Amino acid sequence: MDLQTLTSLFATTYNPDPNIRKSAELQIRKIANEEGVIGALLQIIANGSIEAATRQACAVWLKNRVYKTYALETDRRPDQPFIGNADRESLRGSILHLLATSPSRAITTQLGAALKTIIAHDFPEKWPGLIPQIKQLLQSNSVQEVHAGCIAALEAIRAFKFRQTTDVLPGIITQLFPILVSIATQMAGQTPTAAQEIPTMLHLILKTYKSSITVNLSAHQQSAESIVPWGKLFFAIVNLQLPAESVPADEEGRERSEWWQTKKWAYAILGRLFHRFGNPSQLPSTMQKEYGTFAAHFVEQFAPEILSTYLKQVNLFVSKQAWLSKKCQYHIFTFFTACVKPKSTWVLLKPHAQTLVSTFVFSQLTFNEERKELWDTDPVDYVRVSVDEYENYSSPVAAATTFLLSLATNRTKITFMPILAFVNQVLRSNASPQERFGALNMVAALGTHIMSHPEVKTEMEQFILSFVTPALSSSEPYLRAIALEILGTVVKHGLQWSNPQQLMSHSQAAAQALDDSEFPVQVQGALALTEMVTAYDDVRQAVAPQVGKVVHALVKMSDDTDLSVVNAAMEVIVEQYQVELLPVAAELVAHLCATYMRYVQEIVSKEADVDPTQIEFDDISGDDNDKSFSAMGVAKTILTVVDSIEESKEILAQVQEIIVPVLVFTLEHKLIDLFDYVYELTDSLTFHSRAIAPSMWRIFELTYSAFKTDAVDFLEEMLPTLDNFISYGSETIKANNDYKRMLVDIYTASLTVEHLGENDKVNGSKLAESILLNLRGSVDDYLHIIINAALSLLDQPVTQALRLANLEVLVNSVLYNPVAALHIMETKQAGTARKFFDLWFAAINGENKLPRVHDKKLSILTLSALMEVPAANVPDSLRDGWPGIVGGALRLFKDLPKAIEVRKALQAEYDAGEEIDDTYAEKLLNFNDEEGDVWDDESAYLEMLANESARLRAKSERQGGDGSTADSDSDEEEELIEEELTYISPIETVDAYTTFKRALTTLQLQNGPAYQAATTALDVDQQTLLMEVMRIADATAAASA
């Protein structure tokens, strides 16, 4: 196709008429695979006489095409999109030049993203000249070419930054970084102006360095020849004073400006270097060898200078002599936090800690103009931010709170009381309401720790009465909100009231807040009341008559917002008032389902507006998941209601019919993000009902459809539901061949679908077991499929969990129909039955190879079934060993009582719930050496992550990257298989002792020689055990008579 026609087609892709636009897009798809199309697009993008919008449309299509198809080879299906070799060569030969001549940032962004994909696939083997080409650009006298070189360097680093073991990234760093630091140093030495070229390139260079240290710090970067010039550059940029005319006047514009973006990256890099590589006391043991020397040097030579520089910047900021962007403030707080635990940096930070708290931290926590604007304009978002602010990555408020908590927890002896003294000082002074909010906000942040402090927690009731109670009736709504937040926090962590009247008055204040005119106060009131209802039985009883009103208020809040905290509060109320809410359970669920449907219909509507083929013409971007998260919260609340009414079968049945359409809608529209909750709800409904309603079978059918299409990875989530369908709907399944076929197909697919892992195979095997145990006599036509699928795994190296699960599929097959199962095995290949028996008896006689009660009982019942097989039906390969069946059963009986005791102990522990950790306060606060290095739970967690990462890397290296599986018998691969306490086995009620006695009697009558051989081969201990088993069988039979 000629350039003019192609240009016209892409010009039409942004035509306002959808019909014209669609016609052009279809034309482009028809020619997309033609050799030379991409080369032609590159010419269009380079042609300055063509309209910029058309060139940008070409760049977007090119970027998306490269992103989706560059890794595909050209020998795939003819109809599958791909990029031919000639076009690949055109891309490699043109893209750097296009970057250097790009007319706009929008086109540059698209080309840069495409370049990253090409580099990741082709460098170094297919593009050995890349680095010299980038060097040439960087060393050019043309600003545009240097800029293009900076972009290319960034994309080259980004292409490899997550690769753990590669020599590609260190090579790129060694060759390009000396040039980059030289360029950046020259630029940073010039007086800042409003011109964008220098800050833009500095921004790119620093972003390149930051990307390069995402996982590792190369040997070159650790050397003095690298770290010294780069370190000087970072300090120069941090200290750079920006003239007013060089940045926008408004704060929002300054935040986004290239100069402040550059400063942000300088702060971020210094923090990353210290936190991950340069902090010896916190460096994980697996990283000591690689970074120990660098860390010792960095903490001595660089960390003090960073701290001194940051303190200077903070002093200028709090005295209003200089401005700091929010991102820079965030990185400063993050660095201060990292300085708290190491002894070497704490000594330097310690003299400034209290000043930082009373100025820099406090300024973040007051009710400032930014908070006020958010409260006034979007109170729902105010609540979302105030509840989740500690997890908001870029928020200086979050970082300030984290720093405050780090001081309080890691240096408790030195900082905790002075922080509280500062809070008291503010609250006892004539401080403004905004400052009083800041002090109370500190208390809210530290509430958990205050209630863990042995000296302070006893004073908390008086503090509440003095400062929090008055705020509950303040004319300033934000003070009412923060007071309620403190009340909820201290109640949650064990506040005890000396005066019952005070307790009730505060609970009434929380309840009254539900009617407050300000939404954030309503939410905090609901959260505080929820904690008080949970903590105090008197409050629970007092609220009981009004619980309908409370739930109504919560439902309204949930309807008006997407706040997960509201749904969480509703869950607690439903749990606490199960009996009281029983009469309105159906109404409540109907309302919740309507809310859920509103969310999911919005999701479906949004997805319907997106043409899946349009992605070739639109820039690829992420979707907003807010509605999905909101739907998840509502689903959790519905689940809580369902669990609370399990004893009332009539109401449960009503609720189920309300919920089923919601579940069907979710599955039909393949809202995969919500499948976890769909199957939790379906599991609860079917399990509590102990029956399958007719409307539920649509969910069964949709589950099979989902598994075979979009949700093959959800077998673990589907399994409890499928097991319930089989257990409680067995009669329906027995009468429906399609349902049986679906179940068996899921099992075989779990073993054969290529990308499913061992856990999926284990879950598939559990499904097969459920089929064989619950559908006795009804899946004869599928028995050979199940057995052959299980036999296919016998010779594969697998984990202990899968080995056992697969073995028990075969054991269950024998229990289902011993004669048919053994015949199928022998038909597959002579001697297969013997091979199975050898593996089975190795497990029976092995140490802890059949560890659970179910495992032992299943084998006992199957061995008993085999004893009843007529002698003529025993395969020839098994005849000699047939008498050993009795000995195998006795070995299992020997271990069964101990396994039962272990299960009972685990069940008792499970029923008792989690034990309260008496050392919680000790772990939360550090009352030990106030000057030494601190190693806390966070440090231990990072150590664990580093060790696990090192283990996985070592395992990958042992496998040589060929995908082979390590020896599954190695100790590190084996995990103890524990009892599944929530699993109710179909053989739970079958008595193994009486079954065995009956089978042994049958063996004696119909296969005398085998019985004689079996009993005479028993040693004294086995004979004694046999007598005990028979005695227990007789006793059990007598008791049930």
Side-chain angles (χ1 to χ4, degrees), residues 33 65 69 72-83:
N33 282 352
R65 187 71 163 187
T69 66
L72 299 177
E73 299 301 330
T74 56
D75 59 355
R76 297 298 180 95
R77 296 194 317 263
D79 62 326
Q80 186 170 357
F82 63 84
I83 298 174

Side-chain angles (χ1 to χ4, degrees), residues 820-865:
L822 295 177
H823 175 72
I824 291 168
M825 291 182 191
E826 287 298 288
T827 301
K828 180 178 177 63
Q829 184 176 344
T832 301
R834 177 59 183 267
K835 180 180 179 180
F836 157 65
F837 264 72
D838 288 344
L839 291 170
W840 184 19
F841 271 76
I844 290 172
N845 294 311
E847 188 64 33
N848 215 34
K849 297 298 183 182
L850 298 174
R852 300 165 299 194
V853 172
H854 173 77
D855 304 327
K856 299 180 192 303
K857 196 170 178 181
L858 173 65
S859 282
I860 290 171
L861 296 179
T862 306
L863 291 171
S864 299

Side-chain angles (χ1 to χ4, degrees), residues 778-808:
S778 298
V779 288
D780 294 359
D781 294 341
Y782 298 96
L783 188 60
H784 69 287
I785 297 175
I786 294 172
I787 290 174
N788 287 328
L791 288 174
S792 69
L793 285 182
L794 281 186
D795 295 324
Q796 296 185 21
V798 296
T799 59
Q800 183 180 346
L802 179 53
R803 191 184 307 118
L804 176 58
N806 187 60
L807 177 68
E808 292 193 337

Side-chain angles (χ1 to χ4, degrees), residues 254-255 260-261 263-264 267 317 323-330 396:
R254 259 179 285 168
E255 290 278 355
W260 278 103
Q261 290 291 318
K263 288 173 80 72
K264 174 199 76 175
Y267 281 105
F317 175 71
W323 185 81
L324 280 173
S325 72
K326 291 176 183 175
K327 294 287 181 68
C328 291
Q329 293 177 55
Y330 166 81

Side-chain angles (χ1 to χ4, degrees), residues 658-678:
I658 296 169
I659 296 173
V660 167
V662 163
L663 304 178
V664 168
F665 183 92
T666 307
L667 291 171
E668 284 181 339
H669 289 85
K670 299 179 179 178
L671 301 177
I672 289 180
D673 288 346
L674 300 170
F675 276 17
D676 281 2
Y677 298 91
V678 165

